[in-house]
Amino acid sequence: MPILDHLWIIPLLPLLGSAINGLFGAKWPNKIVNSVALGATGLSFAIALEAVREFLGPNAQALVHNHYFDWISAGKFTAGFDLQLDQLTVVMLLVVTGVGFLIHIYSTGYMAHEGGYYRFFSYLNLFMFFMLILVLAANYVLLFVGWEGVGLCSYLLIGFYFLKKSASDAGKKAFIVNRIGDFGFMLGMFLLFRTFGTLDFNGVFAAASGPGWGSVHETWGQFGTFTIACLLLFMGATGKSAQLPLYVWLPDAMEGPTPVSALIHAATMVTAGVYVVARSHVLFLHSETALVVVAVVGCATAFFAATIGLVQTDIKKVLAYSTVSQLGYMFLACGVGAFSAGIFHLMTHAFFKALLFLAAGSVIHAMGGEQDMRHMGGLSKKIKYTYWTMLIATLAIAGIPPLAGFFSKDSILLSAFQIEGGHPLYAIGLLTALLTSFYMFRLIFLTFHGKQRYDEHHVHVHESPWSMLGPLVILAILSVIGGWLAAPALFGGTDYFTSFLAPVFASSASGAEAVNEAAAHNLEWILAVVAVVSALIGWAVAYWLYLRQPAKPEQIAKSMQPVYKTLLNKYYVDELYNAVVIAPLMWISTNVLWKIVDVAGIDGAVNGIAKGATEIGDTVRHTQSGNTRSYAVWVVIGALVVIAVIFLWPAAKPVVGMVR
């Protein structure tokens, strides 16, 4: 049975795992819950590998498109349960199932002593189902089902510790902020259907490239159909992928368990926005305005988040802002037309950022729940496996060759440099790379080096079990070799990753990627050397401040108090949103909608009717005295009223037309 004809099996398995554990897991021991959850994701990964093998086999096709049934049919609107597989889907499919499976294994150790164990794995499997629907979908409607589904799972997993107010608040914040972006995404879908009469990828992209629309190119400043549709889709991407101004939910999402941070908020879900922009590249290439907006927002987010990461003391918060920053890099690549470079960084980032979060979880596990780096130090000799794997991930994200991050980040910076007018974007991207290197090595030095800053009598540091360390080692290997597909390009050879994605992004050949191929080879080397030097500068400054002069950071913070406080308080963005958006909405809700509309209007009407009926009933009740003489008087009065009506009321006139 060819798997390519039955792609639905890949997402179905995690859904079954979620349902089984959700319905029956409460009564099962952890081992059975593990078997169901890991079995579902492991089989899904194995079947995905088989599907990829068939796809890349001797009878390889450019695109596999399977229509299973019509899901919605209303007038001219039809949405089918259609799944597809192409080169872009292959990358996303292997990242989601492969990294997801490793994180499931890690979770069996990390969550072993937590309450709600079965519930956690049910949610985690459900997330895998929706994420696989998102990447396999062959139309925007089915993609949107996966899009909303991962948002729901994010809410459930961030608020997993629901008895903890900060966790439940973070879950609600993520859900609400994402609804803002999703509103724009829906409007974008409506506009695409209104324009092209379909939401199938093949139909939309073929029409956009066809005779009617193929020659349309909306230049900078124009706001035609393509520009508006792309900006609305990008609005959804800014929410899901935590870009300015809708990034505020992601740092708070660290309230969830660490495996959740690794799977959803580093490796997979938050990259959904990048995937949608890359998938919709045919539309974006029609609009220079949309591409510029994507590039500028991505670049600004990368720098903005990196500056906040410089001063954070919570180990997971540092990684959270690093994630926001790296997502900005991916959007920068898409904005300059280097879609393959953006997806390349998406893949390598999934390896080293998942590793960073899982290693951070191992540190937290070793420290008995402590997350403040100021209370750590000197851990490198006590948790060696965690230290070395986290160091490898740090070298990768800093862009040190020959690790994965060097190749993907170098590809983005080169594309930004070569695009017309892209030098400012390149400069900001390079500065962000320097800041990234600094705050990541700051994390390493504060956590693993220097003097011990915790009480050993209260904190018994210990290495994690192999159920946690095994995934760290595998991800460390991937963080080293994950970028080597692009290595030959540095020596005048072929960038195999870009070549693999070429059938998908063929229409973007006139953009930065074509310029990449034609660029002078020495320029590529020069920019690569500059990027490495910037990373080394970041390392050197962090080394000098936190190992050679450990008292210096505090002195600098005091001498630059306004800047330091601004960064420490994250530019007061949450406070600004609270003053400008939340407080006015709360005032309107309390003083207008509740007091006037609800209490005075709706409740007032209902309560007024009830009160009136009560008062009338009370008045009538007093007529029932039980006195026979009183009743006789009322009978006489009633009789007199009836006689008066009969004899004194004017005679009724016949109605015209009724008399024959």
Side-chain angles (χ1 to χ4, degrees):
M1 180 183 71
I3 294 299
L4 287 180
D5 295 335
H6 303 278
L7 293 173
W8 53 270
I9 297 175
I10 299 173
L12 178 65
L13 289 168
L15 179 62
L16 289 175
S18 174
I20 293 170
N21 272 334
L23 292 172
F24 309 110
K27 298 179 180 179
W28 287 346
N30 288 1
K31 287 184 178 180
I32 298 180
V33 173
N34 292 345
S35 299
V36 173
L38 269 64
T41 50
L43 281 173
S44 183
F45 177 50
I47 294 172
L49 287 173
E50 172 59 20
V52 172
R53 188 194 68 78
E54 292 178 11
F55 178 74
L56 301 177
N59 301 317
Q61 307 172 47
L63 172 69
V64 174
H65 184 284
N66 295 332
H67 172 74
Y68 296 107
F69 57 87
D70 286 336
W71 173 41
I72 301 174
S73 183
K76 296 181 179 180
F77 178 75
T78 303
F81 186 81
D82 296 3
L83 302 180
Q84 71 173 35
L85 191 68
D86 62 6
Q87 287 79 2
L88 177 57
T89 311
V90 164
V91 175
M92 296 299 298
L93 187 62
L94 294 181
V95 167
V96 172
T97 56
V99 176
F101 181 52
L102 290 174
I103 293 173
H104 272 71
I105 295 172
Y106 177 94
S107 300
T108 61
Y110 190 86
M111 301 295 291
H113 305 293
E114 296 286 349
Y117 189 82
Y118 77 98
R119 182 167 53 89
F120 176 81
F121 278 100
S122 178
Y123 292 164
L124 218 57
N125 274 187
L126 186 64
F127 166 79
M128 291 286 288
F129 163 72
F130 280 120
M131 192 67 200
L132 288 169
I133 288 291
L134 192 157
V135 301
L136 286 167
N139 58 65
Y140 282 104
V141 181
L142 193 58
L143 182 149
F144 192 68
V145 172
W147 185 272
E148 289 297 281
V150 294
L152 168 65
C153 294
S154 178
Y155 162 75
L156 294 172
L157 286 163
I158 293 169
F160 179 75
Y161 301 119
F162 56 85
L163 295 177
K164 186 179 176 185
K165 187 177 185 303
S166 58
S168 59
D169 286 348
K172 288 182 283 187
K173 184 176 183 179
F175 195 80
I176 293 169
V177 171
N178 272 277
R179 297 294 71 73
I180 298 170
D182 295 349
F183 176 69
F185 194 97
M186 285 192 294
L187 291 179
M189 290 197 301
F190 297 156
L191 179 56
L192 289 177
F193 180 74
R194 176 70 178 80
T195 304
F196 301 112
T198 181
L199 286 175
D200 289 340
F201 292 152
N202 289 343
V204 171
F205 301 153
S209 305
W213 294 95
S215 60
V216 175
H217 180 70
E218 296 168 6
T219 57
W220 172 245
Q222 289 185 334
F223 287 90
T225 300
F226 283 109
T227 298
I228 295 171
C230 290
L231 290 178
L232 288 171
L233 293 178
F234 181 60
M235 181 177 172
T238 59
K240 195 68 70 186
S241 294
Q243 298 296 285
L244 288 170
L246 300 179
Y247 74 95
V248 291
W249 66 271
L250 183 57
D252 288 16
M254 297 304 107
E255 291 289 342
T258 301
V260 173
S261 303
L263 178 62
I264 294 184
H265 307 123
T268 54
M269 189 199 86
V270 290
T271 61
V274 181
Y275 168 74
V276 165
V277 172
R279 174 62 71 193
S280 307
H281 71 280
V282 174
L283 305 177
F284 278 85
L285 289 173
H286 282 276
S287 172
E288 185 180 330
T289 302
L291 286 174
V292 170
V293 170
V294 171
V296 170
V297 169
C299 190
T301 303
F303 178 74
F304 179 84
T307 58
I308 297 175
L310 297 174
V311 298
Q312 298 302 307
T313 55
D314 185 311
I315 189 170
K316 286 178 68 176
K317 284 289 179 72
V318 175
L319 298 179
Y321 282 105
S322 172
T323 300
V324 176
S325 181
Q326 295 302 306
L327 289 166
Y329 260 113
M330 299 174 207
F331 280 111
L332 169 60
C334 292
V336 299
F339 298 101
S340 291
I343 298 299
F344 190 25
H345 197 57
L346 182 156
M347 181 187 74
T348 60
H349 177 263
F351 300 150
F352 57 69
K353 185 53 64 65
L355 174 54
L356 284 168
F357 269 111
L358 296 184
S362 184
V363 171
I364 295 167
H365 175 82
M367 293 293 296
E370 179 61 65
Q371 295 184 199
D372 194 329
M373 297 184 295
R374 294 171 298 183
H375 301 152
M376 298 180 186
L379 295 176
S380 62
K381 295 179 181 178
K382 301 195 174 186
I383 46 175
K384 293 182 179 179
Y385 285 104
T386 300
Y387 168 65
W388 283 107
T389 53
M390 197 167 194
L391 179 61
I392 288 171
T394 300
L395 292 170
I397 195 175
I400 304 297
L403 283 80
F406 163 74
F407 295 102
S408 58
K409 191 177 292 188
D410 180 63
S411 180
I412 294 173
L413 292 175
L414 177 63
S415 300
F417 185 86
Q418 291 180 321
I419 198 78
E420 184 179 354
H423 288 183
L425 297 174
Y426 167 79
I428 296 172
L430 185 66
L431 178 58
T432 302
L434 189 152
L435 298 179
T436 301
S437 176
F438 172 78
Y439 68 66
M440 286 307 305
F441 281 108
R442 169 181 177 266
L443 181 151
I444 290 292
F445 295 146
L446 282 176
T447 304
F448 294 100
H449 295 276
K451 66 178 183 179
Q452 181 178 304
R453 297 184 297 278
Y454 58 89
D455 186 354
E456 233 173 337
H457 297 292
H458 293 88
V459 180
H460 304 289
V461 179
H462 57 285
E463 187 61 277
S464 301
W466 272 103
S467 58
M468 295 169 64
L469 293 179
L472 296 188
V473 173
I474 295 172
L475 287 170
I477 294 170
L478 291 173
S479 297
V480 174
I481 68 173
W484 290 0
L485 290 170
L490 277 175
F491 304 96
T494 303
D495 184 335
Y496 290 107
F497 190 85
T498 301
S499 298
F500 177 71
L501 290 178
V504 178
F505 298 124
S507 56
S508 65
S510 59
E513 293 179 32
V515 178
N516 263 351
E517 295 175 2
H521 192 57
N522 61 343
L523 174 63
E524 189 171 358
W525 271 101
I526 290 170
L527 295 182
V529 170
V530 170
V532 173
V533 169
S534 69
L536 293 175
I537 291 172
W539 166 82
V541 174
Y543 177 81
W544 181 70
L545 286 177
Y546 292 96
L547 290 186
R548 304 298 295 177
Q549 302 285 337
K552 201 71 175 175
E554 189 174 348
Q555 297 173 8
I556 295 174
K558 288 181 179 178
S559 64
M560 303 177 67
Q561 193 74 358
V563 175
Y564 176 75
K565 279 194 171 182
T566 300
L567 295 179
L568 189 63
N569 289 283
K570 300 157 283 190
Y571 291 98
Y572 300 99
V573 173
D574 283 312
E575 289 79 1
L576 177 64
Y577 280 165
N578 187 65
V580 175
V581 179
I582 298 173
L585 283 176
M586 291 295 291
W587 185 89
I588 293 171
S589 300
T590 304
N591 296 288
V592 179
L593 297 179
W594 179 54
K595 289 184 179 179
I596 297 176
V597 177
D598 190 8
V599 176
I602 299 172
D603 289 353
V606 174
N607 295 338
I609 293 171
K611 185 178 180 182
T614 302
E615 291 176 351
I616 292 171
D618 185 63
T619 303
V620 173
R621 179 174 62 84
H622 290 296
T623 64
Q624 305 296 316
S625 63
N627 191 317
T628 305
R629 287 177 297 176
S630 175
Y631 292 158
V633 171
W634 283 111
V635 169
V636 172
I637 292 173
L640 291 174
V641 170
V642 171
I643 293 170
V645 169
I646 293 173
F647 290 102
L648 300 179
W649 197 266
K653 297 180 181 180
V655 179
V656 177
M658 293 299 291
V659 179
R660 296 183 182 275

